């Protein structure tokens, strides 16, 4: 694991004036991130995870972010290193690779912030075909890079679920009976997700993590789309349906119809097309299944986490498994809202 970056090295790498304080870690980010205060203002410093294994994926993500910015998607301003190509700076001496952005004050959308029209427009821009005929964002490297993987949809074989149940039973975990009771349903739902994924037919290179936590309401600037590190191949229709559902979801778990209508209208008006799908909300369901499996792995200690996180995960597994019939029925019943006819 690389050591924490040296703020002096970061300033030198990006041509910034002297820092006025240490790098301050930012909690809640999937990547290592810090705030750097300098005489010229504040900046976000980010270190990509799992170097160097993730560098090919990160190169695609950087390309998607750059093309989106050029097409008009509001993103944070990147700093360019004084030497080298691209936005990554190698600090050397065990500090690793880092990126830097201009700091933006703000937070995610509040419940009263209706960003549905903005979201529909951004999705349409991300999903536009490239002039050479590749999928949206498919420029560098050609269409082969725009082939999504069902791994992103939380798909895993039923045998993997059975192993979690058996390990839970062996360890005496009280959530194991609830999870075993839902194994048949989990298998059926996984088949639905796989079928929807196979039928999507509209691969694109896109953000892939369009969630409220990745939208920054930056004062007069308006919504800014952040955290592009997992950008890559996905299905346009399934990403659009999932993002519109999440951003338009009300406190009752149902999409606010007025916001959904505005989001869909903006998507269509800006060139977005929702293709016919057997299950447009497959991504939403797949992520719920993935989270259920992740919580079981954390509870079992397969996936490393603090003890408090393990206890919290264990408390959620049975609750989520028992809620799966109703939550999946709801997503299936709402799918007709996310068709080209609405």
């Amino acid at each position: 694991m690389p050591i924490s970056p040296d703020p002096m090295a970061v300033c030198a790498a990006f041509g910034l004036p002297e820092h006025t304080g240490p790098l301050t870690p930012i909690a809640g980010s999937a990547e290592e991130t810090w705030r750097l205060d300098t005489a010229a203002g504040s900046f976000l410093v980010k270190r990509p995870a799992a170097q160097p294994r993730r560098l090919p994926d990160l190169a695609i993500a950087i390309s998607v972010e750059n093309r989106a910015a050029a097409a008009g998607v509001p993103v944070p301003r990147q700093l360019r290193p004084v030497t080298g190509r691209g936005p990554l700076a190698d600090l050397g001496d065990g500090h690793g690779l880092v990126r830097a952005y201009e700091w933006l004050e703000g937070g995610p959308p509040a419940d009263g912030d209706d960003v549905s029209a903005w979201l529909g427009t951004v999705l349409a821009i991300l999903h536009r075909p490239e002039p050479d005929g590749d999928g949206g964002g498919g420029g560098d490297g050609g269409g082969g890079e725009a082939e999504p993987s069902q791994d992103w949809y939380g798909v895993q074989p039923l045998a993997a679920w059975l192993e979690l149940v058996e390990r839970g039973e062996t360890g005496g975990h009280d959530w194991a009976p609830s999870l075993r009771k839902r194994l048949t349903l989990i298998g059926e739902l996984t088949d639905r997700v796989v079928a929807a994924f196979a039928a999507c037919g509209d691969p694109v290179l896109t953000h892939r993590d369009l969630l409220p936590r990745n939208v920054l309401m930056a004062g007069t600037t308006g919504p800014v789309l952040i955290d592009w590190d997992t950008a890559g191949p996905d299905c346009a229709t399934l990403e659009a349906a999932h993002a519109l559902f999440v951003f338009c979801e009300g406190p009752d778990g149902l999409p606010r119809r007025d916001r959904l209508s505005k989001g869909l209208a903006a998507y269509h008006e800006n060139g977005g097309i929702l293709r016919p799908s057997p299950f447009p909300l497959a991504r939403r369901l797949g992520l719920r299944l993935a989270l259920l499996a992740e919580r079981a792995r954390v509870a079992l200690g397969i996936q490393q986490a603090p003890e408090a996180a393990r206890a919290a995960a264990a408390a959620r597994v049975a609750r989520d498994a028992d809620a799966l019939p109703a939550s999946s029925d709801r997503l299936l019943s709402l799918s007709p809202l996310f068709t080209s006819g609405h």
Side-chain angles (χ1 to χ4, degrees), residues 119-317:
L119 175 66
T121 301
V122 166
L123 282 164
I125 293 173
L126 290 172
H127 296 167
R128 283 174 187 163
E130 291 293 300
D132 61 4
D134 288 333
D140 299 344
E145 288 180 351
E147 290 301 320
S149 167
Q150 67 181 21
D151 292 345
W152 192 253
Y153 282 67
V155 172
Q156 62 176 356
L158 194 59
W161 287 98
L162 181 58
E163 181 182 355
L164 292 175
V165 169
E166 291 176 343
R167 292 182 68 157
E169 291 171 339
T170 300
H173 291 269
D174 56 9
W175 49 261
S178 292
L179 193 56
R180 177 175 286 280
K181 183 179 179 181
R182 304 303 178 194
L183 282 179
T184 299
L185 176 61
I186 287 172
E188 294 170 351
L189 295 176
T190 299
D191 289 343
R192 282 184 175 270
V193 172
V194 171
F197 176 86
C200 71
D202 52 1
V204 290
L205 285 174
T206 183
H207 187 279
R208 292 205 303 188
D209 201 18
L210 278 153
L211 298 171
R213 68 168 182 255
N214 289 332
V215 173
L216 191 68
M217 304 299 288
T220 57
T221 304
V224 176
L225 187 54
I226 64 173
D227 284 349
W228 291 77
D229 288 358
T230 57
D234 203 346
C235 300
T237 292
L238 300 185
E239 182 187 49
H242 174 254
L244 287 164
F245 179 92
V246 172
F247 277 84
C248 297
E249 187 176 10
D252 58 358
L254 299 173
R256 297 176 172 96
R257 296 298 184 95
D258 58 334
R259 295 189 181 186
L260 180 58
S261 295
K262 283 188 284 187
L264 286 169
Y267 186 65
H268 292 311
E269 289 166 5
N270 288 277
I273 299 173
L274 289 176
R275 297 196 178 193
S277 170
F279 186 18
L281 291 173
R283 172 90 104 81
R284 181 66 174 165
L285 178 59
L287 290 177
R288 286 190 175 180
L289 291 174
L291 183 57
L292 176 59
E294 178 184 322
R295 284 173 172 154
R297 289 193 294 269
V298 169
L300 290 167
I302 300 172
Q303 187 167 321
Q304 295 301 311
E307 188 60 37
R310 290 184 60 179
R316 287 296 302 269
V317 175

